[in-house]
């Protein structure tokens, strides 16, 4: 989360309108632009600053260079009752993802479940966005994506996998939903970036240096190091994090015909293109399950409420207030930020002003206090 | 894996026949008994000693006490095209699991995917057994189960979740399949048992004591401590392991109507029954996906081969031979043990001899050298 004291507070809608207009400036249809802006806005609202408007400039860079197709013809290329593969036609992941997720949800309502692999896409924002959409239709939603290589497999000394997140959400009855959204690496890359900015050490187990050695210096990541998978070493289950990242990679890419493993195309324009292409673009995997196909929907939701109550009453570990329920921090951020606005640090505001100058789309910053 | 030097080497088939006859002795139909014995045998062959015949006495204890129904009427209680819920009628998980898994696979062949929640079951052996069956039908297989509480949620000081494993497998073309089978706890309980037997310390991060404090003494687990989830502390992603265990718990139990979280009935007869019952028995969740619904099957398998080749060539971390492919150790054990036999340590052999005396089913140990 952003250091809110040194931040500009933007009303969420103002940022969303700005993103929408920026996307439209690059030839994206209005409905698609609104959709893409909605994914970014949800990320900012939920406190996942790294995946919100802070990334708008990266999408803009790609659109400017013609590396992303602003008017993709997103289509199903293969299908059977409850499953399908979607080709995203090199569109923004923020547009391709929601369309493919909708196909999975429609299938779930017809066949009890729907599973959609996606190839030829680009980064799709926060994985958690997609199961949140499923909740609106009272479905259990799943989402995964691969991403540019950053993570070494256990016992490897080079980047071979993305931080490959997975998300899933379950609706409650009176309680808010349980929302899981997690990278399969030990930590998010953003935490290493923060240490770099603050010039602090990081814990052993987050990264290795370019020779594959343990290190606590975040700058080793910049000079050819790699992140470690969840569990980080054999003794602590590092093979499990590697297994999860592999599972996400195979479901998202091998199953859909996208670029798997180290061949995922880069997200940033200044990153090197992989030596080989083994498929099309990056890949996602969406799932939706209709609760009523398994159990009475209200019974399920009431049991989820009970689950939440029981887990909230867990005896707390010393020095803590006890376990959270998955999704608690993001929901609390959303409540707060819907009211107070989205805090953006100066470098992010500067990026947005730069986009504003470039596109001629106004962004009123004057009225805000840093 | 067993210390093979101090072990009796049993031909795998001899153990499988013994288990089959033992199950039949307790009134289980022959076909079901063979099925149950097959799950245990597969575990022993694949080097997962804790889940093979070493557990036969536990199943026997439960059958003797009438706590497990030897002739269950396993049935679908709710269904929609690609999904279903199965009631295991309190049968052996080793019988209920394979039947429910078959339903998921049948659905996958008709609807592209099949997803089956199971309630009213008991422990089902290794999770990996089920996706291995899916591979025989050229499907991608998934399996999860809850289990008796052993694991604390992050920031909790008591046992609330099982070690809740998940498994998934993908077929190769010329290469062997990729098989992922992992508990969502930092380590398997068996590793703590080994430390107890050897009276050695364990790494920080495996367990907490009864007050929720970090500890390296394995005996703290016996006196009311709890295991920690994969990632073990906030800084290393302990919330992710907790999220995964919660996901497995909800899919297996809340969705099927089984006992979730701390209310899972115990596996061992001497363990305390939970204070509440919130469903029926323990729960599983099976999935199967037909590859052809997403992509040409051979194309998928050839890409899996390529994935394996690329990952085997990863630059190795210092002091290692480089990353393994998920499933390597188990497959190597299976090749070895199919030839050489299953090594069983004396306490396990004594348990089997005890079962032999009790049931009158012979077990020839004389001809084997310890």
């Amino acid at each position: 989360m952003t250091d809110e004291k040194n931040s500009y507070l933007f009303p969420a809608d103002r940022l969303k309108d700005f993103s929408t207009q920026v996307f439209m400036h690059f030839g994206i249809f209005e409905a698609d632009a609104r959709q893409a802006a909605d994914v970014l806005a949800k990320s900012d609202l939920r406190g996942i600053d790294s995946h919100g408007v802070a990334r708008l400039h990266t999408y803009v860079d790609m659109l400017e260079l013609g590396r992303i197709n602003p008017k993709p013809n997103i289509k199903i290329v293969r299908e059977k009752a409850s499953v399908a593969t979607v080709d995203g036609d090199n569109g923004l992941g923020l547009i391709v993802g929601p369309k493919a997720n909708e196909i999975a949800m429609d299938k779930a309502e017809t066949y009890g479940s729907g599973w959609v692999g996606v190839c030829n896409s680009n980064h799709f924002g926060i994985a958690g966005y997609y199961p949140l959409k499923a909740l609106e239709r009272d479905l259990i939603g799943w989402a995964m994506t691969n991403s540019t290589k950053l993570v070494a497999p256990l016992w490897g000394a080079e980047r071979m996998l993305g931080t490959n997140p997975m998300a899933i959400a379950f609706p409650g009855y009176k309680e808010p939903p349980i929302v899981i959204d997690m990278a399969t690496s030990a930590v998010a890359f953003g935490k290493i970036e923060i240490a770099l900015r603050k010039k602090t050490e990081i814990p052993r187990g987050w990264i290795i240096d370019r020779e594959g050695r343990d290190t606590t210096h975040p700058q080793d990541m910049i000079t050819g190091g790699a992140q470690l998978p969840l569990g980080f070493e054999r003794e602590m289950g590092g093979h499990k994090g590697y297994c999860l990242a592999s599972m996400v990679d195979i479901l998202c890419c091998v199953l859909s015909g996208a670029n798997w493993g180290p061949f995922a195309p880069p997200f940033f324009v200044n990153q090197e293109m992989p030596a080989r292409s083994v498929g099309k673009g990056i890949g996602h995997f969406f799932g939706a399950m209709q609760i009523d196909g398994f159990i009475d929907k209200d019974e399920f939701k009431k049991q989820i409420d009970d689950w939440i109550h029981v887990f909230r009453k867990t005896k707390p570990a010393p020095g803590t207030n006890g376990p959270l329920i998955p999704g608690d921090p993001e929901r609390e951020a959303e409540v707060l930020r819907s009211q107070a606005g989205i805090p953006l640090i100066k470098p992010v505001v500067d990026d947005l002003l730069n986009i504003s100058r470039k596109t001629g789309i106004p962004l009123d910053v004057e009225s805000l206090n840093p």
Side-chain angles (χ1 to χ4, degrees), chain A:
Chain A
M1 298 252 304
T2 303
D3 175 5
E4 314 223 350
K5 270 180 291 189
N6 295 307
S7 300
Y8 294 75
L9 271 176
F10 281 81
D13 283 345
R14 193 188 299 179
L15 288 178
K16 195 166 155 180
D17 288 343
F18 180 72
S19 301
T20 303
Q21 289 179 62
V22 168
F23 286 131
M24 287 172 70
H25 176 86
F26 288 100
I28 292 172
F29 294 120
E30 181 171 349
D32 286 349
R34 281 199 192 291
Q35 170 62 76
D38 190 53
V39 182
L40 297 184
K42 198 69 171 173
S43 181
D44 283 322
L45 279 169
R46 290 175 71 79
I48 307 158
D49 299 321
S50 55
H51 287 59
V53 283
R55 280 204 177 165
L56 185 60
H57 74 98
T58 313
Y59 295 106
V60 162
D61 288 349
M62 298 290 271
L63 285 162
E64 266 191 315
L65 288 171
R67 291 230 205 137
I68 285 178
N69 179 359
K71 292 189 169 72
N73 175 20
I74 301 165
K75 57 171 191 278
I76 294 176
V77 290
R78 206 171 171 111
E79 188 171 21
K80 188 167 178 177
S82 70
V83 304
T85 297
V86 163
D87 185 317
D89 196 22
N90 194 29
L92 272 181
L94 309 170
I95 297 169
V96 176
K99 288 246 163 88
N101 191 39
E102 233 168 80
I103 294 167
M105 294 189 288
D106 291 346
K107 284 183 174 294
E109 284 170 358
T110 310
Y111 301 106
S113 77
W115 306 86
V116 175
V118 182
C119 68
N120 210 0
S121 186
N122 293 282
H123 283 248
F124 77 175
I126 49 169
Y129 180 83
Y130 302 93
L132 288 173
K133 298 310 280 184
L135 291 178
E136 291 174 10
R137 289 165 68 167
D138 253 346
L139 301 166
I140 294 170
W142 307 54
M144 306 178 189
T145 187
N146 81 322
S147 53
T148 318
K149 66 176 180 177
L150 276 175
V151 179
L154 180 72
W155 294 342
E158 58 175 321
R159 303 176 184 187
M160 295 292 283
L161 291 157
T163 54
N164 294 7
M166 49 190 289
I168 188 168
F170 306 99
Y173 191 72
K174 294 189 178 168
E175 291 292 332
I178 294 174
V179 183
I180 294 169
D181 181 3
M182 51 175 270
T184 53
S185 48
V187 295
F189 182 66
K191 293 204 175 177
I192 299 157
E193 282 180 312
I194 291 169
L196 278 166
R197 211 158 43 224
K198 294 190 175 169
K199 298 191 198 317
T200 54
E201 299 280 285
I202 54 175
R204 191 182 78 87
W206 285 14
I207 65 167
I208 47 177
D209 69 13
R210 61 184 304 156
E211 302 302 330
R213 294 170 300 213
D214 280 339
T215 176
T216 57
H217 307 309
Q219 56 274 33
D220 285 329
M221 186 68 197
I222 305 304
T223 55
Q227 286 191 243
L228 286 170
L230 177 59
F232 70 97
E233 62 184 4
R234 181 63 180 83
E235 198 169 60
M236 302 312 293
H239 54 303
K240 298 180 185 183
Y242 161 43
C243 281
L244 290 170
S246 303
M247 176 188 82
V248 171
D249 193 45
I250 293 167
L251 289 171
C252 292
C253 303
V254 182
L255 196 57
S256 72
N259 287 292
W260 41 262
F263 309 119
F267 184 40
F268 297 102
V269 288
N270 59 352
Q271 283 171 318
E272 209 185 332
M273 283 299 282
R276 275 179 71 195
S277 169
V278 295
K280 289 171 163 184
I282 71 163
H284 319 306
F285 183 72
F286 298 102
M289 301 194 305
Q290 200 187 36
I291 296 163
D292 266 323
F294 292 95
I295 197 166
D296 175 77
K297 195 167 60 184
D298 283 347
E299 188 182 334
F300 177 87
K301 290 180 174 184
K302 285 174 187 170
Q303 288 279 330
I304 288 288
D305 279 10
D306 198 2
W307 194 100
I308 291 170
H309 300 154
V310 165
F311 277 78
R312 285 216 191 281
K313 278 188 203 137
T314 304
K315 178 178 156 188
T320 76
N321 293 319
L324 302 181
I325 302 302
D328 273 354
E330 295 85 358
R331 197 186 55 257
E332 283 159 21
E334 192 163 354
V335 170
L336 200 74
R337 291 179 169 201
S338 301
Q339 304 280 321
I342 310 293
L344 299 182
I345 55 173
K346 183 140 191 313
V348 171
V349 175
D350 288 345
D351 274 345
L352 295 183
L353 287 172
N354 192 25
I355 295 170
S356 171
R357 271 189 297 275
K358 200 185 289 194
T359 59
I361 296 158
L363 178 72
D364 173 19
V365 178
E366 311 298 307
S367 65
L368 305 168
N369 289 319

